Amino acid sequence: MKGEEWYQADDVAAAYEDKRFSRGGRLIDRREKRAVLDALGPVADRRILEIACGTGRFTVMLAERDADVVGLDVSGPMLRQGREKARAASVIGHLDFLRGDAARLPFPDDHFDAVFAMRFFHLADTPHSFLEEMRRVSREEVFFDTFNRFSTRSLYNWALPMGSRLYSSAEVDRLLSDVGLELVDATHDWVVPYGLYRKLPNGIASGLRRADTAVGQSAVGDRLASVSYWHATV
């Protein structure tokens, strides 16, 4: 995995959400949470696994909606942040956090109703292996996002310390087919890369988001989108 050592540092975990989801980053947080909820539908009493759960943004959200959630991550400091967040939200009884390797999930086949990963596949060195494991432990559905190769993300990518793995739609289609998943829906968004939103005050970022959404809804929107959300069934 790209950036694995960096990701496990205590100071990175402590500042992770403030750096990415404050200011204009709040728009990103809301959109990502909506994408997860739209894909998974009603989650009450469903058994759900999140791969690379980080600080628990999604695990806590799902636990608040009465899902039975497991969050797996390679970073102990990130998981400590998640546990603190779960205690603050009084949902610790609805979820478990587990440190582990996403390429070798410690669960039997078909153990979860749904498995998802956000902000993960852009760091994956062997995406096929990770997706195969997600499919193996899911009984019903798999959901994940990617950064897109033919988009503004490719221009922004060179400035990032670790870069990102970028995907074409054809590559994702092959990955899904290879592991035996059937695509249900693909949603494409964010013409402007995430990094710009995080640098702007929320009010200015909101205006940019409206313009971004207008372009995204046009005839060329899907081709320009820098992020895609992939929902597949087993």
Side-chain angles (χ1 to χ4, degrees), residues 18-35:
D18 283 343
K19 184 175 181 180
R20 285 163 175 75
F21 306 116
S22 61
R23 295 164 60 89
R26 294 171 186 161
L27 298 168
I28 302 168
D29 182 53
R30 288 199 293 268
R31 176 64 180 102
E32 289 182 331
K33 287 176 177 175
R34 174 48 52 194

Side-chain angles (χ1 to χ4, degrees), residues 171-183:
E171 184 176 3
V172 175
D173 286 340
R174 286 194 299 272
L175 284 170
L176 293 172
S177 178
D178 287 346
V179 302
L181 287 168
E182 182 176 350
L183 182 64

Side-chain angles (χ1 to χ4, degrees), residues 22-27 196-208:
S22 61
R23 295 164 60 89
R26 294 171 186 161
L27 298 168
L196 182 57
Y197 282 92
R198 294 197 294 261
K199 297 180 183 301
L200 298 174
N202 192 54
I204 297 174
S206 295
L208 177 62

Side-chain angles (χ1 to χ4, degrees), residues 16 25 44 52-54 79 84 88 93 115 131 145 148 161 185 205:
Y16 184 79
C53 67
L79 293 173
E84 290 177 9
V115 179
L131 191 58
D145 65 339
N148 298 332
D185 183 51

Side-chain angles (χ1 to χ4, degrees), residues 7-143:
Y7 185 69
Q8 296 186 67
D10 287 305
D11 58 338
V12 170
Y16 184 79
E17 291 204 21
D18 283 343
K19 184 175 181 180
R20 285 163 175 75
F21 306 116
S22 61
R23 295 164 60 89
R26 294 171 186 161
L27 298 168
I28 302 168
D29 182 53
R30 288 199 293 268
R31 176 64 180 102
E32 289 182 331
K33 287 176 177 175
R34 174 48 52 194
V36 170
L37 292 174
D38 285 347
L40 301 184
V43 297
D45 301 320
R46 298 188 75 201
R47 182 179 290 177
I48 299 172
L49 170 66
E50 181 184 3
I51 301 296
C53 67
T55 57
R57 283 192 303 135
F58 301 104
T59 48
V60 170
M61 175 189 73
L62 296 174
E64 289 175 329
R65 289 163 172 76
D66 296 323
D68 180 12
V69 193
V70 174
L72 181 137
D73 201 281
V74 71
S75 170
M78 288 283 188
L79 293 173
R80 285 196 292 274
Q81 294 285 328
R83 292 186 183 100
E84 290 177 9
K85 187 180 298 181
R87 281 192 287 270
S90 300
V91 295
I92 199 70
H94 280 277
L95 59 88
D96 291 310
F97 289 104
L98 177 67
R99 189 173 185 181
D101 183 352
R104 292 181 292 274
L105 296 175
F107 307 106
D109 295 356
D110 306 326
H111 188 67
F112 296 94
D113 296 314
V115 179
F116 75 99
M118 296 292 286
R119 301 289 191 98
F120 174 70
F121 275 88
H122 71 291
L123 299 174
D125 45 6
T126 56
H128 181 278
S129 299
F130 293 117
L131 191 58
E132 191 169 46
E133 275 293 272
M134 292 173 68
R135 185 258 176 266
R136 180 183 67 79
V137 302
S138 177
R139 188 169 62 85
E140 296 177 1
E141 56 189 330
V142 169
F143 178 73

